[in-house]
């Protein structure tokens, strides 16, 4: 069973105009072309969609059923066309938990000032590739390794690792810095899909923490604020997600977290080189 967008467009236009003649005028074709095209759609459907009446045409019962679906398909097709037309003028930058922390706003402002032809859009998507594998973005900010067989990547900066804990924690509330060993004595809340914390951080230590899992940054913060555990995260999280009841402090011996940009091997979006340079400079000047 095959149908075309042309057939749907002719059918919807005729149905809304109530006349083959008026539809032909709107579509800039002949009345015969309208009749012939709609007849082709009716053959595919297996039933009449429009019946001729003295003043034009009207929907059959089948036509009434088909019309809303045809409208939705045409609407989706129009949105897809708009996407294809505008995609070269938009650079979508994906992230899962935090974008670039305190550098995010500056990047957006400076990009808008320097790039009239390419709009930078930030897209949050909670997946290991921050929406890259899902087609949600053109370039992704990631803080964990990506599949080198599918993606190109480049480290653009390093961030301190912080510990997040409940602000009323009786032991830590007045501490300015903490250690990995101290964190190992606590329950640590992790997001195993996109987070940067795992048991490997304590692989050479005497013991490792007990872990419980969260599903995203919001549930992670809620659990920490409630005192269910603590967490370790990149410095950007503290800037991107300040939360009442949650305190962030540096980990004095915590390994730095690489900030990486990733993109598909076979797709180098417009503006990629400028984006890499801009973010690298922001981290270099930190």
């Amino acid at each position: 069973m095959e149908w075309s967008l042309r057939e749907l467009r002719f059918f919807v236009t005729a149905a809304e105009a109530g006349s083959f003649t008026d539809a032909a005028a709107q579509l800039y074709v002949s009345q015969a072309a309208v009749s012939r095209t709609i007849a082709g759609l009716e053959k595919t459907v297996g039933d009449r969609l429009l019946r001729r009446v003295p003043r034009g045409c009207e929907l059959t019962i089948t036509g009434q059923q088909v019309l809303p679906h045809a409208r939705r398909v045409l609407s989706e097709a129009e949105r897809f066309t708009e996407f294809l037309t505008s995609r070269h003028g938009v650079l979508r930058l994906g992230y899962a938990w935090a974008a670039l922390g305190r550098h995010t706003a500056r990047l957006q402002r400076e990009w808008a000032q320097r790039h009239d032809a390419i709009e930078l859009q930030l897209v949050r998507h909670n997946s290991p590739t921050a929406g890259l594998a899902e087609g949600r973005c053109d370039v992704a900010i990631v803080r964990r390794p990506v599949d080198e067989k599918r993606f190109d990547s480049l480290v653009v900066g390093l961030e301190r690792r912080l510990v997040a804990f409940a602000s009323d924690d009786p032991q830590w509330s007045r501490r300015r810095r903490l250690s990995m060993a101290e964190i190992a004595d606590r329950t640590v809340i992790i997001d195993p899909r996109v987070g940067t914390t795992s048991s490997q951080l304590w692989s050479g230590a005497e013991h490792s923490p007990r872990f419980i899992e969260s599903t995203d940054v919001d549930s992670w913060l809620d659990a920490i604020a409630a005192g269910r555990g603590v967490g370790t995260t990149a410095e950007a999280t503290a800037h991107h997600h300040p939360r009442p009841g949650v305190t962030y402090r540096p980990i004095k011996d915590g390994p730095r977290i690489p900030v990486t940009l990733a993109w598909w091997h076979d797709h180098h979006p417009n503006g990629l080189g400028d984006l890499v340079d801009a973010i690298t400079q922001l981290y270099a000047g930190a």
Side-chain angles (χ1 to χ4, degrees), residues 213-265:
E213 296 183 0
S214 66
T215 56
D216 56 31
V217 65
D218 293 313
S219 63
W220 182 80
L221 287 166
D222 289 341
I224 292 172
R228 294 182 56 207
V230 303
T232 82
T233 187
E235 186 175 3
T237 305
H239 294 280
H240 206 95
H241 297 286
R243 175 70 67 90
V246 175
T247 296
Y248 296 93
R249 290 289 184 267
I251 305 172
K252 57 187 178 183
D253 55 348
R256 296 268 172 157
I257 298 174
V259 181
T260 301
L261 290 185
W263 57 92
W264 286 94
H265 280 316

